[in-house]
Amino acid sequence: MRGLHVALVLCGVVLFGCGQRGEITYAPEAAGVGATKEVFLSTTRAIDPATGRFGFGRVPADSYARYVVQIPPDREPGEINWPPRSRRPNPRTDFLTVEEQLFDEAVDFRAALARTIRDQPRDQREVIVFAHGFNTTFSEGLYRIAQLDHDLDLPGVAVHYSWPSRGKPLAYLEDRDSAIFARDGYEALLNEVVDAGAERVVIVGHSMGSFLTMEALRQLAIEGNRTVLGRIKGVILISPDIDVDLFHQQATRIGALPQPFYVFTSQRDRALALSSRLTGKRDRLGNLTDPTMV
């Protein structure tokens, strides 16, 4: 896992920061101006009939897709620049989608992912699976993963699990229910990744995506799915929005946690502050200052 530790320290700084919000702009004619990043994706989001793209509604069946995102050359590391509506997209400054492929069946997704994994050097047949956090739209999650993959020069193949967050700061409780709703879909994605031939899987969960990650691992352990658990060679939870007692219970049910197992905490995460107020419990796993409390 080349440079993983350093990369994840940076990841804790830049992941899902504040800033301008936007939507996917599909511009295949812009290909070749900047670097491109391929992102495989699974989601339990429903298609928004108004836009024809994945929104915030929930569907029980998993959808699978592949995107190629162009990273513009004229920007600062960590930045995501959305094309403003006041002008035409500029491929030198704006993030753009140059390829979009929706798969009819999981088997088609698995075959495409398998081809990409086989194209990697033998020592990099690794998949990094990301689960976004609270208050994240489909487009924000997708572009953030592409940005991280590019800026941190991560090894292996990027795979994103896009659970149906509402993408609104006042929809915390709805997002919590959506994360619980999405557990089976996340578990199914991990099975697909392993079946596609990933020799090593690293999971990164942010905020509420960390809760979702622990729940998926718990389900795999309850089912005795040692095939998938055995391929997971690292778990990183960034500002995890998990009650400390619940984390203990999840970890106990999982048993031997995948190693290495990192927890990055933050005292400035606004989602954790909101979670503490809504739940009436000040301490969340992601805002602890004393590691002995875990």
Side-chain angles (χ1 to χ4, degrees):
M1 290 181 284
R2 174 173 51 92
L4 180 60
H5 184 69
V6 174
L8 289 170
V9 171
L10 293 173
C11 188
V13 174
V14 303
L15 187 60
F16 298 97
C18 300
Q20 177 189 2
R21 311 191 80 164
E23 297 295 335
I24 288 174
T25 299
Y26 184 55
E29 69 280 1
V33 175
T36 56
K37 282 297 174 180
E38 181 180 47
V39 179
F40 287 86
L41 180 145
S42 173
T43 185
T44 45
R45 293 177 183 262
I47 295 290
D48 183 348
T51 64
R53 296 193 175 277
F54 293 109
F56 58 81
R58 305 168 184 158
V59 290
D62 305 308
S63 296
Y64 296 94
R66 170 187 165 272
Y67 291 85
V68 177
V69 177
Q70 179 168 271
I71 313 296
D74 299 342
R75 67 176 186 98
E76 294 297 323
E79 285 184 350
I80 294 180
N81 303 324
W82 303 91
R85 297 177 181 177
S86 58
R87 62 163 172 77
R88 296 183 62 182
N90 182 349
R92 294 203 60 83
T93 59
D94 302 332
F95 273 66
L96 300 170
T97 297
V98 296
E99 289 186 42
E100 179 183 45
Q101 182 179 10
L102 303 181
F103 298 100
D104 293 330
E105 303 288 343
V107 65
D108 302 319
F109 168 84
R110 190 188 319 138
L113 178 58
R115 286 192 293 271
T116 298
I117 292 173
R118 288 195 300 269
D119 287 342
Q120 306 301 308
R122 185 72 188 184
D123 62 346
Q124 292 184 28
R125 290 183 180 174
E126 177 173 293
V127 170
I128 301 181
V129 182
F130 299 85
H132 65 75
F134 158 69
N135 184 27
T136 302
T137 66
F138 178 82
S139 53
E140 288 169 342
L142 172 63
Y143 279 15
R144 182 60 71 184
I145 297 317
Q147 173 263 311
L148 286 171
D149 192 19
H150 175 267
D151 289 352
L152 302 179
D153 191 23
L154 298 177
V157 182
V159 175
H160 180 40
Y161 184 63
S162 183
W163 56 274
S165 167
R166 179 84 181 195
K168 292 186 178 297
L170 297 182
Y172 179 85
L173 295 179
E174 181 178 349
D175 270 16
R176 185 77 172 182
D177 287 344
S178 291
I180 295 171
F181 172 87
R183 292 177 298 188
D184 291 349
Y186 195 17
E187 180 188 0
L189 173 61
L190 294 175
N191 276 285
E192 292 295 340
V193 166
V194 169
D195 289 345
E199 297 180 4
R200 296 173 301 280
V201 179
V202 175
I203 301 176
V204 181
H206 173 246
S207 177
M208 206 173 281
S210 297
F211 162 77
L212 177 56
T213 294
M214 289 298 292
E215 285 293 290
L217 294 175
R218 180 177 180 272
Q219 291 189 179
L220 289 167
I222 290 173
E223 294 170 4
N225 191 338
R226 295 298 160 186
T227 300
V228 173
L229 289 171
R231 298 283 182 91
I232 299 174
K233 302 304 181 181
V235 174
I236 300 93
L237 306 182
I238 302 171
S239 299
D241 187 2
I242 310 175
D243 175 88
V244 177
D245 293 333
L246 174 59
F247 175 75
H248 278 293
Q249 187 182 59
Q250 291 169 324
T252 298
R253 197 67 180 89
I254 294 167
L257 294 174
Q259 295 299 319
F261 193 100
Y262 294 106
V263 176
F264 290 90
T265 63
S266 171
Q267 302 301 305
R268 296 180 296 175
D269 192 296
R270 290 182 294 177
L272 291 177
L274 175 61
S275 175
S276 298
R277 291 196 297 271
L278 291 174
T279 61
K281 298 194 71 174
R282 180 177 62 86
D283 291 329
R284 311 296 286 175
L285 181 63
N287 63 12
L288 294 181
T289 57
D290 183 359
T292 63
M293 296 176 65
V294 179

